[in-house]
């Protein structure tokens, strides 16, 4: 109502002071739409005052961040929200993840190139169900592609199909110039070293009877890495150090570790084989906020140090927003949207993308 009165005079400038803070998300969205219409149809300039940075994501062209009467940071919202520099902005964004340098530019050819991937699985005794349909995407060295989508949309199936843990029905996968679908059993086993999978529940991937050191040793021994026992022991120590665990963890059993520590061991175990691609399936979903930030920070350090690519599966858009360079949206086995994180999460074009973003804004 207040807005209608303000607009009745067709002003060239509209100053809106926290116009949406008392409204629910749906009405908020309607009001923002109305303001957008004014902006495009009537060329109204808008000075939009708000404490809610997430809200300006898809709305503002430029954001000024104020602290104690000063402008401490300014920039386009995508950039500002993805990599806030000033502590005040970081606090507003809620990002406890440290700012990272910009990722390397995508290079051609990509590390992983998936084309027209479809997967059918037996859905019962009689028929097969199409779980993934005609999926194409690239993953680049040193970069992170997030895969988001509702429960049952096919995220885990996609991870498994990329690794050929399930056989695709159609499609091709090129990895560093190798045709993954064409690989016979032995070369496939050798190739798998380069693409490792980490799960939500590291309890599932760590043998409960194996000490941490044995868990890290095992894949190296299986793939014939390390020239001797003592060489592998050195590698185990270096891996523990890399994931932020001191040497005393070597002899611990998984059940004596916290969730975050177990996830560090799972990461070290994946890194033991010097992979070029890590597929992370909801790896921080079971962790509390603090461990989550620690593990994400660790994954970033690993990426900066080793240049690994991440295929990062998550239903948590808050995490994806800070962590991924690009986002793919899955819906019912189809890839309905793919693009840079700011673009996809800032202004999703697919209905599935919009629904996910709406739900995540609602929660924060
Ligand atoms: N082994 C299987 N056999 C038959 N159907 C399967 C099998 N595994 C998964 N599905 C089906 O494939 C679809 C996608 O499942 P998937 O586990 O990939 O989803 P998801 O996106 O990872 O979900 P969530 O977010 O709950 O982990 C679902 O409909 C599921 O029921
Ligand atoms: Mg899953």
């Amino acid at each position: 109502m207040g807005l209608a009165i303000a607009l009745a005079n067709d002003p060239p400038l509209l100053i809106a002071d926290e116009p949406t803070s008392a409204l629910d998300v749906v009405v908020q969205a309607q009001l923002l739409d109305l303001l957008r219409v004014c902006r495009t149809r009537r060329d109204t300039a808008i000075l939009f005052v708000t404490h809610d940075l997430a809200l300006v994501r898809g709305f503002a062209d430029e954001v000024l961040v104020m602290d104690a009467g000063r402008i401490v940071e300014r920039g386009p919202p995508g950039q500002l929200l993805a990599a806030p520099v000033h502590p005040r902005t970081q606090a507003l964004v809620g990002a406890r993840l440290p700012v990272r340098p910009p990722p390397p530019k995508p290079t051609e050819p990509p590390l992983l190139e998936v084309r027209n991937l479809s997967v059918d699985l037996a859905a019962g005794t009689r028929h097969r169900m199409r779980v993934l349909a005609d999926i194409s995407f690239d993953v680049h060295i040193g970069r992170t592609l997030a895969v988001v989508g509702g429960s049952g949309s096919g995220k885990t199936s996609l991870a498994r199909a990329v690794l050929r843990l399930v056989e695709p029905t159609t499609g091709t996968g090129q990895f560093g110039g190798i045709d993954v679908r064409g690989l016979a059993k032995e070369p496939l086993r050798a190739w798998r070293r380069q693409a490792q999978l980490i799960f939500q529940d590291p309890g599932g991937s760590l043998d409960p009877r194996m000490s941490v050191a044995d868990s890290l040793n095992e894949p190296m021994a299986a793939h014939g890495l390390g020239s001797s026992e003592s060489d592998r022991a050195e590698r185990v120590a270096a891996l523990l150090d890399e994931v932020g665990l001191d040497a005393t963890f070597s002899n611990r059993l998984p059940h004596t570790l916290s969730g975050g520590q177990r996830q560090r061991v799972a990461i070290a175990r994946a890194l033991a084989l010097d992979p070029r691609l890590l597929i992370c399936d909801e790896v921080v979903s079971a962790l509390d906020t603090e461990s989550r930030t620690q593990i994400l920070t660790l994954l970033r350090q690993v990426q900066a140090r080793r240049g690994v690519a991440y295929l990062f599966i998550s239903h948590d858009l808050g995490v994806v927003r800070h962590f991924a360079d690009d986002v793919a949206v899955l819906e019912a086995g189809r890839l309905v949207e793919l693009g840079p994180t700011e673009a996809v999460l800032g202004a999703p074009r697919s209905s599935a993308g919009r629904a996910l973003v709406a739900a995540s804004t609602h929660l924060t």
Side-chain angles (χ1 to χ4, degrees):
M1 181 62 191
L3 185 64
I5 294 170
L7 291 175
N9 296 323
D10 210 353
L13 171 69
L14 182 71
I15 300 178
D17 190 354
E18 299 275 5
T20 59
S21 40
L23 307 173
D24 76 54
V25 276
V26 175
V27 184
Q28 260 185 25
Q30 287 169 349
L31 191 122
L32 292 179
D33 279 343
L34 183 57
L35 290 175
R36 274 192 197 96
V37 170
C38 298
R39 193 167 56 183
T40 42
R41 298 240 180 96
R42 307 193 194 185
D43 271 346
T44 312
I46 302 173
L47 185 64
F48 191 91
V49 180
T50 179
H51 69 279
D52 184 351
L53 262 190
L55 189 138
V56 301
R57 182 182 300 278
F59 183 75
D61 303 301
E62 192 185 12
V63 182
L64 308 180
V65 180
M66 294 197 64
D67 187 32
R70 289 175 190 278
I71 291 169
V72 292
E73 191 167 353
R74 68 199 302 166
Q79 185 189 325
L80 204 95
L81 296 173
V85 175
H86 193 273
R88 191 75 276 251
T89 321
Q90 290 174 352
L92 282 170
V93 175
R96 267 152 275 138
L97 270 183
V99 180
R100 71 156 175 174
K105 292 255 174 301
T107 50
E108 291 301 330
L111 176 64
L112 173 70
E113 193 179 296
V114 172
R115 292 292 175 273
N116 310 107
L117 173 75
S118 298
V119 172
D120 298 303
L121 294 175
T125 44
R126 296 254 181 92
H127 69 290
R128 293 168 73 77
M129 192 177 89
R130 179 135 291 198
V131 170
L132 293 172
D134 202 26
I135 306 259
S136 300
F137 63 89
D138 295 337
V139 183
H140 292 270
I141 292 167
R143 293 176 62 94
T144 301
L145 171 66
V147 178
V148 304
S151 187
S153 57
K155 305 182 294 294
T156 298
S157 302
L158 180 63
R160 295 174 58 78
V162 165
L163 294 173
R164 268 189 67 192
L165 296 169
V166 296
E167 283 302 324
T169 312
T170 65
T172 57
Q174 290 277 333
F175 184 97
I178 297 169
D179 170 14
V180 180
R181 271 203 86 192
L183 291 176
K185 204 170 163 203
E186 245 334 281
L188 178 64
R189 205 184 82 86
W191 170 75
R192 283 217 178 103
R193 236 189 83 181
Q194 303 191 48
Q196 291 290 308
L197 179 60
I198 314 174
F199 309 93
Q200 170 170 2
D201 170 24
S205 57
L206 299 175
D207 187 326
R209 294 155 307 177
M210 264 195 202
S211 71
V212 168
D214 288 345
S215 276
L216 301 186
N217 222 328
E218 187 202 44
M220 290 196 278
H223 282 269
L225 259 72
S227 51
S228 61
E229 281 290 310
S230 67
D231 180 34
R232 282 208 286 274
E234 264 176 45
R235 282 168 177 257
V236 165
L239 285 167
L240 282 177
D241 187 54
E242 181 168 6
V243 300
L245 296 174
D246 65 51
T248 62
F249 280 90
S250 290
N251 298 317
R252 301 269 293 268
L253 288 171
H255 76 269
T256 70
L257 303 175
S258 73
Q261 289 164 346
R262 268 205 295 273
Q263 204 55 285
R264 284 174 194 270
V265 175
I267 293 168
R269 186 176 147 92
L271 293 177
L273 296 174
D274 280 332
R276 298 158 80 193
L277 171 70
L278 282 181
I279 302 185
C280 305
D281 191 353
E282 304 279 7
V283 288
V284 295
S285 308
L287 304 175
D288 64 73
T289 329
E290 198 184 347
S291 324
R292 178 175 299 182
T293 307
Q294 287 170 357
I295 294 297
L296 292 172
T297 305
L298 170 64
L299 288 174
R300 267 196 190 166
Q301 289 163 348
V302 165
Q303 188 172 53
R305 207 178 296 132
R306 295 175 173 249
V308 290
Y310 290 129
L311 188 61
F312 188 84
I313 295 171
S314 178
H315 67 274
D316 184 340
L317 293 201
V319 166
V320 166
R321 200 161 267 155
H322 299 305
F323 192 72
D325 304 309
D326 298 290
V327 178
V329 182
L330 278 187
E331 183 188 26
R334 295 190 170 274
L335 203 158
V336 292
E337 189 158 359
L338 175 63
T341 303
E342 295 95 79
V344 173
L345 300 188
R349 283 174 289 113
S350 63
S351 57
R354 283 196 293 272
L356 286 168
V357 168
S360 81
T361 333
H362 187 69
L363 289 175
T364 48

